[in-house]
Amino acid sequence: MVSEEEKMYLGFDFSTQQLKAFVVDDNLRVLFEEFVEFDSALPEFRTQKGIIQSKDKSITSPTIMWVKAVDILLDKLQIIGADLGKVVAISGSAQQHGTVYWQKGSEAVMQSLDPSSFLHTQLASCFTVPNSPIWMDSSTTEYCRKLESAVGGSEELAKITGSVAYERFSGPQIAKIAHTKKIAYDNTERISLVSSFGASLFLGKYAPIDFSDGSGMNLLDIRKKCWNSKCLEACAPNLCGKLGKLVPSDEVLGYINPYYVERFAFNPNCRVVSFTGDNPASLIGMCLKSNEIAVSLGTSDTIFMWLEDAKLLTEGHILINPLQPDNYMAMLCFKNGSLIREKIRNSMADRSWEEFSKLLERTPRGNFGNMGLFYDEIEIIPRISGEFRFDKMDNPVKKFSSAETEIRALIEGQFVAKRAHAEELGFHIDSVSKILATGGASNNKAIVQVLADVFNTPVYTLKEANSASLGGAYLAKQGIRDREKHSDPVLYFQEITSKVSLPTLFCTPYNDSKEIYTPMVARYKKLIKTISNDN
Ligand code: ADP
Ligand code: XUL
């Protein structure tokens, strides 16, 4: 038995570029954190930023690379002194939408793992599709249209699933696999999301898909909380059996697989709680309140907020809420986040964030009217790719005159777009609004200052920028609560997070922000229409 004071909870995040883990104590204070960066720690998979882009433009990640990272990460946690025997529950998060295809018989392999050998050698032949399609892929447009027409149009699909069809969503991705890799699909016994795949590894059985991450598939009826048969049929044959059942995001799935008990000295009573998507997990890790909007600046940039009711969106997504399954969360995702910031940093600021920040701070708010929109990959909202620069008269220009103008144009353009689309989602700025920022770039004060200015709203940050893995650790504790005693999940969550440090004010908008950026948001809306028409 682990005593109350010694209890620990472990949260993972299978993100695009790395696998991360947080160990917290019973008061949810962080004790240990570790990560395995795919490109540098696992160079044999030849990923760039965790992904493989093939000639036909499809974007995948090697499934077995994620498996290999698990063994390495647990070793690293032990090396830094984490006593995994004190972990009473595990949960986690993962990049959303990506799919994993398990070969027939894989569950039996997971149940008879040999602790003296690595996980990845034993699971090497478990995946019928060795490279998992991930959220950055946008090669499934034809399957999106087919899905929408099968249910009576895009609006009807949004009514059922919370989103119109999106290329990266799992339904269209599965449809592409079923169509282009028929034998592999037929040999697939179970399809997991990256989150339920992560849970399966620890459980030693196929873990069910949870409501929140399941909402990112274009397959789940977000009101009835079950698979929609029309959507399943439109995507692939025999899909229901391959997806398995759905569970609330905080469901206890079972005990940890004995492999980890023997190999890493986990307690055999350690429980595995459902994993969920990284954005729902961030909502948990940030303890998001109703007057707050979260802006996550990771590989992708996302915006999300808590919603009591599901509303109909023509852009963006409604997901079932991970803490209270009768509530929802609204989300917008932008593909061109950190990677385009890094690209421009590398070409304009000597590969240094410090230099990038200096140049950004050297230019005035509003950038003398220069505006830029940069999409290295086809953006999700709006569906555009390319680089677009405009002078103060909205005339297109080929190049800006200096590195600092280019850098400010990039950052202002990114946040102006976010504000424009967040307003369409129903976000209103008022005197009590607050932005909570998270993700890799939320440490960068110069970037976050622009976020505060563009939204004309104070931005708070948490001590921990990795809210998705932290959310995984919180979810572990939330999951194993006594459900009779704590029947209201939200009240219980408030109780257990009462000792977590509050977000601190990081950047306050300058007085002239409204005057500068409100017109810029209007300009963005106009420019984006012109660009879309020309594309
Ligand atoms: P993910 O969880 O999607 O892997 P993270 O939230 O860990 O992503 O963020 C990773 C990104 O954070 C990197 O791609 C990097 O560009 C960005 N980043 C890290 N430090 C900084 C910084 N000081 N300024 C701006 N961006 C940063
Ligand atoms: C959300 C999305 C990304 C991924 C990767 O819809 O596609 O945020 O979850 O982080």
Side-chain angles (χ1 to χ4, degrees):
M1 270 288 277
V2 183
S3 71
E4 284 300 314
E5 308 82 69
E6 286 189 324
K7 279 184 180 168
M8 303 197 304
Y9 304 86
L10 176 53
F12 290 94
D13 180 27
F14 289 75
S15 79
T16 316
Q17 303 187 47
Q18 57 220 312
L19 174 66
K20 303 177 205 160
F22 270 71
V23 178
V24 300
D25 67 12
D26 203 43
N27 290 317
L28 304 183
R29 275 188 291 252
V30 178
L31 299 174
F32 301 97
E33 58 177 287
E34 257 305 345
F35 68 95
V36 173
E37 192 188 54
F38 302 132
D39 294 2
S40 54
L42 296 161
E44 63 273 32
F45 292 102
R46 296 169 184 270
T47 56
Q48 273 186 342
K49 306 279 176 195
I51 67 169
I52 293 174
Q53 186 149 18
S54 55
K55 280 196 201 90
D56 69 352
K57 292 261 184 247
S58 61
I59 300 187
T60 59
S61 291
T63 315
I64 203 74
M65 173 182 80
W66 296 329
V67 176
K68 203 166 179 183
V70 170
D71 265 332
I72 301 176
L73 185 61
L74 290 172
D75 264 338
K76 285 180 92 174
L77 280 172
Q78 282 192 318
I79 290 167
I80 59 168
D83 177 357
L84 300 176
K86 293 184 178 151
V87 174
V88 294
I90 290 181
S91 179
S93 67
Q95 52 168 299
Q96 299 198 251
H97 321 296
T99 38
V100 170
Y101 299 80
W102 296 93
Q103 172 82 261
K104 283 181 188 148
S106 300
E107 195 160 43
V109 177
M110 284 196 278
Q111 290 189 339
S112 54
L113 290 171
D114 170 7
S116 64
S117 157
F118 290 115
L119 208 50
H120 68 94
T121 51
Q122 301 183 73
L123 297 184
S125 50
C126 280
F127 306 106
T128 57
V129 179
N131 287 353
S132 287
I134 66 151
W135 67 276
M136 293 172 91
D137 183 82
S138 45
S139 64
T140 62
T141 308
E142 58 179 298
Y143 304 98
C144 289
R145 296 297 83 81
K146 201 177 144 213
L147 173 58
E148 287 178 342
S149 68
V151 299
S154 58
E155 195 172 316
E156 203 48 44
L157 186 67
K159 264 190 211 153
I160 303 167
T161 70
S163 304
V164 302
Y166 280 94
E167 278 79 359
R168 71 191 191 290
F169 272 44
S170 322
Q173 290 290 341
I174 294 169
K176 181 182 166 194
I177 294 285
H179 193 75
T180 58
K181 296 186 161 67
K182 188 175 175 323
I183 297 175
Y185 180 79
D186 289 342
N187 286 330
T188 301
E189 179 168 66
R190 179 60 83 103
I191 299 173
S192 295
L193 291 179
V194 186
S195 54
S196 60
F197 150 82
S200 306
L201 292 180
F202 292 102
L203 196 60
K205 286 193 274 199
Y206 297 138
I209 291 174
D210 75 291
F211 290 152
S212 297
D213 210 15
S215 312
M217 301 177 79
N218 277 145
L219 298 176
L220 192 162
D221 185 320
I222 57 164
R223 288 177 184 79
K224 295 188 188 147
K225 304 192 187 76
C226 60
W227 300 121
N228 177 278
S229 54
K230 269 195 195 162
C231 297
L232 296 184
E233 276 156 31
C235 286
N238 309 318
L239 189 48
C240 196
K242 293 185 203 282
L243 292 176
K245 65 172 192 165
L246 286 153
V247 290
S249 306
D250 62 355
E251 183 93 344
V252 178
L253 305 178
Y255 290 100
I256 192 163
N257 186 338
Y259 172 84
Y260 302 90
V261 176
E262 309 223 354
R263 193 173 171 90
F264 299 102
F266 272 94
N267 189 314
N269 294 323
C270 170
R271 276 171 295 172
V272 179
V273 173
S274 181
F275 283 36
T276 188
D278 54 1
N279 294 297
S282 279
L283 177 135
I284 297 176
M286 298 170 95
C287 308
L288 201 71
K289 313 246 167 12
S290 57
N291 64 329
E292 294 167 347
I293 178 167
V295 177
S296 170
L297 305 171
T299 308
S300 63
D301 286 350
T302 57
I303 292 189
F304 47 87
M305 50 195 163
W306 188 299
L307 281 188
E308 302 220 323
D309 300 303
K311 55 177 180 179
L312 182 64
L313 297 183
T314 48
E315 60 178 25
H317 321 293
I318 302 285
L319 312 181
I320 296 175
N321 192 293
L323 280 175
Q324 168 49 278
D326 293 329
N327 282 186
Y328 296 87
M329 63 183 275
M331 180 173 83
L332 292 172
C333 178
F334 302 87
K335 209 189 278 182
N336 293 278
S338 277
L339 301 186
I340 183 94
R341 288 190 286 272
E342 265 178 47
K343 186 178 161 192
I344 292 191
R345 176 202 67 176
N346 293 349
S347 62
M348 301 271 161
D350 224 6
R351 310 183 78 83
S352 143
W353 285 125
E354 221 182 306
E355 183 60 21
F356 183 96
S357 304
K358 253 194 235 156
L359 292 170
L360 178 59
E361 280 168 344
R362 203 181 286 165
T363 33
R365 286 179 295 289
N367 210 7
F368 301 111
N370 295 304
M371 251 184 103
L373 299 166
F374 299 82
Y375 309 105
D376 217 19
E377 296 284 339
I378 301 173
E379 189 46 272
I380 298 164
I381 313 169
R383 217 178 173 290
I384 287 173
S385 73
E387 296 186 351
F388 307 91
R389 297 177 184 80
F390 302 93
D391 65 13
K392 65 176 178 205
M393 305 304 290
D394 288 345
N395 295 315
V397 286
K398 274 228 146 48
K399 249 183 104 181
F400 287 130
S401 56
S402 67
E404 50 259 55
T405 310
E406 178 98 338
I407 287 173
R408 183 162 278 275
L410 164 74
I411 301 298
E412 287 187 342
Q414 287 189 323
F415 292 138
V416 162
K418 286 182 182 59
R419 181 174 145 190
H421 296 288
E423 282 175 359
E424 273 159 31
L425 203 69
F427 172 70
H428 296 293
I429 297 166
D430 59 33
S431 56
V432 293
S433 308
K434 263 187 191 179
I435 292 177
L436 293 194
T438 184
S442 69
N443 287 315
N444 186 317
K445 195 151 190 154
I447 292 179
V448 175
Q449 181 62 52
V450 181
L451 171 64
D453 290 334
V454 169
F455 277 75
N456 192 27
T457 305
V459 180
Y460 290 71
T461 48
L462 295 146
K463 218 166 103 205
E464 222 5 281
N466 289 307
S467 55
S469 19
L470 198 58
Y474 294 2
L475 188 57
K477 174 155 180 162
Q478 174 82 3
I480 61 164
R481 71 187 180 277
D482 175 341
R483 284 163 197 251
E484 273 182 22
K485 202 162 140 202
H486 304 287
S487 54
D488 183 332
V490 177
L491 276 184
Y492 180 73
F493 185 71
Q494 283 164 359
E495 215 175 279
I496 62 170
T497 51
S498 62
K499 291 194 182 132
V500 166
S501 29
L502 293 171
T504 50
L505 183 60
F506 193 45
C507 293
T508 312
Y510 283 94
N511 289 339
D512 56 3
S513 294
K514 188 173 173 195
E515 197 183 306
I516 294 171
Y517 292 108
T518 303
M520 212 187 249
V521 171
R523 269 179 79 195
Y524 164 82
K525 289 183 182 164
K526 207 177 82 197
L527 287 170
I528 216 68
K529 274 203 189 116
T530 332
I531 298 173
S532 300
N533 292 340
D534 293 350
N535 255 240

